[in-house]
């Protein structure tokens, strides 16, 4: 399957600071990437859909000014958690859409980034 | 009403048995169905997808789809302890739309 990488794999930051997480598609171009958040023992929660060259589409309840998403190229999307607080501590996972042909695509996940805000 | 539902489990099966994981969805127009496996602390990995009614087999895994009943399942034959994970069902309503994930079923295969 397609390879999606994330960096860093884990990060610890102090409350009030900002953290940037990178998501890269390594062997394909991804016009659409997704950002999910997952709290312990809970399911994936879609935060936003990132389209290359345009503004991200945020899900209801997700603060777009706090979670800044930039999809500047076909292989890179970034999520910046601004003014992080302990309640932002979570497992952040990006995903990329892989086009398989007309009307067919799959979705592959990056390895995730574990964020801990102290 | 949740769009994609799964029994949260845990579902416990003995090693070598068949594990049956079920998923129901609410949108009758859904077209594509996916099963992901997620180990604790890791991100989901795609196991199988199915688009048409019936069964689709891949090694020890079989996906079953019944659109009339709005039901998709995953069977794991000869279950191994390494199959112990959370299995996520994902549904896509139509081309261009996002996947909708179920809450996942935690499977425990006992040696």
């Amino acid at each position: 399957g397609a390879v999606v990488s994330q960096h860093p794999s884990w990060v610890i930051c102090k409350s009030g600071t900002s953290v940037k997480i990178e998501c890269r598609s390594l062997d394909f171009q991804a016009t659409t990437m997704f950002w999910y958040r997952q709290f312990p023992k809970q399911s994936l929660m879609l935060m936003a859909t990132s389209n290359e060259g345009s503004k991200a589409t945020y899900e209801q309840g997700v603060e777009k000014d706090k979670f800044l998403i930039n999809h500047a190229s076909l292989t890179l999307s970034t999520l910046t958690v601004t003014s992080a607080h302990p309640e932002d501590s979570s497992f952040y996972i990006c995903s990329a859409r892989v086009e398989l042909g007309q009307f067919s695509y799959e979705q592959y996940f990056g390895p995730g980034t574990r964020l801990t805000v102290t | 009403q949740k769009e994609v539902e799964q029994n949260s489990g845990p579902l416990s099966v003995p090693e070598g048995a068949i594990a049956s994981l079920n998923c129901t969805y609410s949108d009758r127009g859904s077209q594509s169905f996916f099963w992901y496996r997620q180990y604790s602390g890791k991100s989901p990995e795609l196991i199988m997808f199915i688009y048409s009614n019936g069964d689709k087999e891949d090694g020890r895994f079989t996906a079953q789809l019944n659109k009339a009943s709005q039901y998709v399942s995953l069977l794991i034959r000869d279950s191994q302890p390494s199959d112990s994970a959370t299995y996520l069902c994902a549904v896509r309503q139509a081309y261009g739309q996002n996947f909708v994930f179920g809450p996942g079923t935690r499977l425990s295969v006992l040696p």
Side-chain angles (χ1 to χ4, degrees), chain A residues 77-96:
Chain A
S77 176
T78 61
L79 168 68
T80 301
V81 183
T82 63
S83 186
H85 291 282
E87 57 265 30
D88 297 323
S89 298
S90 187
F91 191 42
Y92 291 85
I93 313 172
C94 76
S95 177

Side-chain angles (χ1 to χ4, degrees), chain A residues 21-62:
Chain A
I21 302 170
E22 293 186 348
C23 177
R24 293 182 186 272
S25 57
L26 296 186
D27 51 359
F28 64 100
Q29 293 183 328
T31 55
T32 304
M33 290 184 172
F34 306 90
W35 286 97
Y36 292 85
R37 180 168 55 183
Q38 187 175 38
F39 293 105
K41 299 189 186 302
Q42 294 187 24
S43 189
L44 296 170
M45 288 175 46
L46 179 64
M47 299 175 67
T49 302
S50 167
N51 291 296
E52 187 267 337
S54 63
K55 290 184 178 181
T57 302
Y58 289 81
E59 295 299 301
Q60 191 172 11
V62 178

Side-chain angles (χ1 to χ4, degrees), chain A residues 6 32 34 36 38 41-44 46 49 59 91 93 95 97 99-112 114, chain B residues 6 31-32 34 36 38-46 49 51 86 88 92 94-104 106:
Chain A
Q6 271 183 254
T32 304
F34 306 90
Y36 292 85
Q38 187 175 38
K41 299 189 186 302
Q42 294 187 24
S43 189
L44 296 170
L46 179 64
T49 302
E59 295 299 301
F91 191 42
I93 313 172
S95 177
R97 178 184 289 178
E99 303 289 342
L100 301 178
Q102 194 176 22
F103 305 126
S104 177
Y105 57 87
E106 295 177 2
Q107 191 167 322
Y108 288 88
F109 287 87
R114 190 161 301 282
Chain B
Q6 295 179 256
Q31 298 179 352
S32 308
F34 303 80
Y36 286 83
Q38 185 176 24
Y39 291 111
S40 181
K42 302 295 185 181
S43 68
E45 56 180 319
L46 181 64
F49 59 86
Y51 300 150
T86 295
L88 301 170
R92 186 177 72 218
Y95 180 79
Q97 295 192 351
N98 292 336
F99 287 22
V100 178
F101 284 86
R106 190 155 57 91

Side-chain angles (χ1 to χ4, degrees), chain B:
Chain B
Q1 180 184 4
K2 292 183 180 178
E3 296 181 57
V4 180
E5 297 196 37
Q6 295 179 256
N7 188 321
S8 62
L11 172 66
S12 296
V13 299
E15 184 174 357
I18 296 176
S20 178
L21 304 161
N22 304 318
C23 172
T24 58
Y25 58 94
S26 60
D27 189 328
R28 188 171 288 278
S30 297
Q31 298 179 352
S32 308
F33 308 86
F34 303 80
W35 282 100
Y36 286 83
R37 176 176 61 198
Q38 185 176 24
Y39 291 111
S40 181
K42 302 295 185 181
S43 68
E45 56 180 319
L46 181 64
I47 300 176
M48 290 190 69
F49 59 86
I50 185 168
Y51 300 150
S52 304
N53 275 330
D55 295 0
K56 179 181 179 182
E57 187 174 317
D58 183 1
R60 295 187 297 113
F61 299 97
T62 298
Q64 299 176 318
L65 175 61
N66 184 326
K67 290 187 177 181
S69 300
Q70 297 175 232
Y71 175 95
V72 58
S73 65
L74 179 70
L75 302 179
I76 306 175
R77 289 182 300 281
D78 188 24
S79 296
Q80 301 297 309
S82 59
D83 294 326
S84 298
T86 295
Y87 289 80
L88 301 170
C89 170
V91 176
R92 186 177 72 218
Q93 277 87 353
Y95 180 79
Q97 295 192 351
N98 292 336
F99 287 22
V100 178
F101 284 86
T105 296
R106 190 155 57 91
L107 172 66
S108 178
V109 180
L110 307 174

